[in-house]
Amino acid sequence: MDFSRRMVIGAAAAAPAVAALAKESPPAAEPVFGPAPAEAHLLFNENPYGPAPSAIRAMAQAASAGCYYPDAAHERLAAMIAERFRVKPEQVAIGNGSFELLSRIGLDWGAKGAIVCPELMFDEPIRQAEGRGAKLVRVPLAADMGVDLTAIAVAVNPDTSMVYLCNPNNPTGMLIEPAALRAFIRALPPQVTVLIDEAYNELTNAPEQASVIDLVREGRNVIVTRTFSKIYGMAGLRVGYSISSAENAERIRRRATTIGCAAPGLAAALACYQDTGFMRFSKEKVLEARGILLDAIKGAGLRVLPSQANFLFVEVPDANALRDAMAKRGIAIRGAYGKWTRWSRVSTGKIEHVRRYAEALPQLVRA
């Protein structure tokens, strides 16, 4: 059965439950979740083609058991993840998206010493630790906007508790060269934990090579976080996981502030984790959209960084001005990141939305 047909069948399976709810609820003026119908939403690195039909069916079934705590589902999901990556289930921690796990790790390790990280990266999860007194050492990027591993190594000292990297990096989209990253990790003092956010790993050209989960199996002091938000299209369902040593995983679990993920998200994750058809479909859509964006950006004569994620970082005259001009056309993109006022991030999204950006970009850059 081809994938498009399975999508129709999956939606049909969930339709009765959706229809019943619709009869009891008045229609909303605007969607409760997601963008307005007329908006081209290229803002948050989401996968608008998810969740998978397998996940939707599982969520519909889980709704009727929503009165029960989903403790056993955490264990089942951890076992599935452990089997795929050839680690033990006790090495896997489940969280409300990888964001929550990254925040937990930042709080724990930040209380023990300094956290070294690139100056430009997805640092929001560890700002909570910084707000509680953790010391963050932010290292400038290399001249090509890549992560400067040499400079980060120099910044590590006896006070360092953790090095935190996002790979591919967000917002640049650039992948750290795998061999260089492995050499960097192996050269660090063993007491320094390396935290790698691999949220976009499945979208890279060679996911297994790009990942450092093999160093976890090797016994290195490495924590890798992953999420169901990106390739699985489950950003709003909030399921993520970490893979590390059993000792580090236990430290992460001790920082949990909730009972766990909600039952629908866990049900969806369990159902679609092995759904290779949907993953393949999602990646194809990302690559198609990224190609359209690249053609438009280069056609407009703009510089763009090499990305292996579902977003691009584009050098423009003024990122905030471009964001505002796009918004007037119903196209949502990111504005400037701090001092990087000439760099604009645009996410892949629905193909028709990406085409609207591609048509508008040359006009707005010339304006």
Side-chain angles (χ1 to χ4, degrees):
M1 186 184 299
D2 63 37
F3 184 72
S4 59
R5 186 178 175 195
R6 284 191 284 119
M7 287 186 73
V8 172
I9 293 172
V18 174
L21 288 172
K23 289 180 181 178
E24 299 180 11
S25 303
E30 293 289 344
V32 177
F33 306 107
E39 180 183 78
H41 193 67
L42 309 175
L43 186 59
F44 292 136
N45 305 344
E46 297 150 331
N47 172 10
Y49 293 99
S54 55
I56 293 172
R57 289 193 298 271
M59 283 189 284
Q61 294 167 358
S64 63
C67 55
Y68 299 109
Y69 291 117
D71 294 31
H74 286 80
E75 297 172 5
R76 285 182 58 196
L77 183 57
M80 289 175 66
I81 293 166
E83 182 179 12
R84 173 180 291 184
F85 292 107
R86 306 191 305 280
V87 298
K88 297 178 181 177
E90 56 265 32
Q91 294 179 255
V92 179
I94 307 296
N96 288 278
S98 57
F99 190 105
E100 190 224 0
L101 291 163
L102 292 164
S103 296
R104 289 191 218 171
I105 295 164
L107 285 167
D108 197 312
W109 270 257
K112 307 294 191 301
I115 299 173
V116 179
C117 63
E119 187 179 21
L120 179 60
M121 68 172 300
F122 182 60
D123 63 353
E124 292 180 22
I126 55 173
R127 288 183 189 171
Q128 185 178 7
E130 188 176 29
R132 296 191 182 187
K135 180 182 178 183
L136 263 61
V137 179
R138 301 176 190 270
V139 178
L141 296 178
D144 66 353
M145 298 287 284
V147 172
D148 192 336
L149 293 178
T150 301
I152 289 174
V154 170
V156 172
N157 60 42
D159 180 51
T160 303
S161 172
M162 185 173 76
V163 171
Y164 172 36
L165 304 171
C166 183
N167 193 40
N169 196 19
N170 179 13
T172 69
M174 297 174 69
L175 183 75
I176 304 172
E177 201 281 317
L181 180 57
R182 284 174 171 79
F184 164 81
I185 292 172
R186 291 186 173 116
L188 287 174
Q191 71 273 17
V192 175
T193 302
V194 182
L195 171 61
I196 310 284
D197 175 3
E198 292 186 352
Y200 305 95
N201 172 268
E202 293 93 346
L203 299 172
T204 62
N205 297 341
E208 188 170 350
Q209 181 183 2
S211 176
V212 293
I213 292 176
D214 59 306
L215 296 187
V216 175
R217 293 194 295 267
E218 192 178 291
R220 300 285 172 177
N221 190 5
V222 174
I223 303 171
V224 171
T225 60
R226 294 280 186 94
T227 183
F228 283 83
S229 295
K230 306 306 176 184
I231 197 165
Y232 291 98
M234 289 173 44
L237 293 167
R238 312 312 303 139
V239 182
Y241 58 93
S242 67
I243 298 174
S244 66
S245 67
E247 294 77 14
N248 282 340
E250 180 56 29
R251 281 180 68 176
I252 296 167
R253 281 190 286 269
R254 284 201 302 266
R255 279 279 181 177
T257 56
T258 62
I259 291 171
C261 301
L266 285 167
L270 285 165
C272 73
Y273 189 57
Q274 308 287 7
D275 194 337
T276 55
F278 179 76
M279 292 177 70
R280 183 169 56 252
F281 167 80
S282 293
K283 190 166 184 175
E284 288 171 355
K285 286 295 184 182
V286 167
L287 294 179
E288 180 183 357
R290 204 167 71 194
I292 294 169
L293 292 172
L294 281 169
D295 287 344
I297 292 163
K298 292 176 180 178
L302 299 173
R303 176 189 175 195
V304 60
L305 298 182
S307 173
Q308 291 199 35
N310 60 342
F311 52 89
L312 292 165
F313 213 38
V314 189
E315 189 173 19
V316 298
D318 185 318
N320 286 340
L322 180 61
R323 174 201 61 197
D324 296 343
M326 285 283 183
K328 290 178 181 178
R329 298 190 179 207
I331 303 167
I333 62 172
R334 278 294 303 256
Y337 283 79
K339 69 180 185 181
W340 290 272
T341 58
R342 292 174 59 87
W343 288 93
S344 168
R345 192 191 74 183
V346 57
S347 304
T348 62
K350 292 183 177 179
I351 299 302
E352 60 268 29
H353 293 171
V354 167
R355 293 192 187 282
R356 285 173 58 186
Y357 173 96
E359 181 181 353
L361 183 65
Q363 303 168 19
L364 297 178
V365 170
R366 288 193 298 266

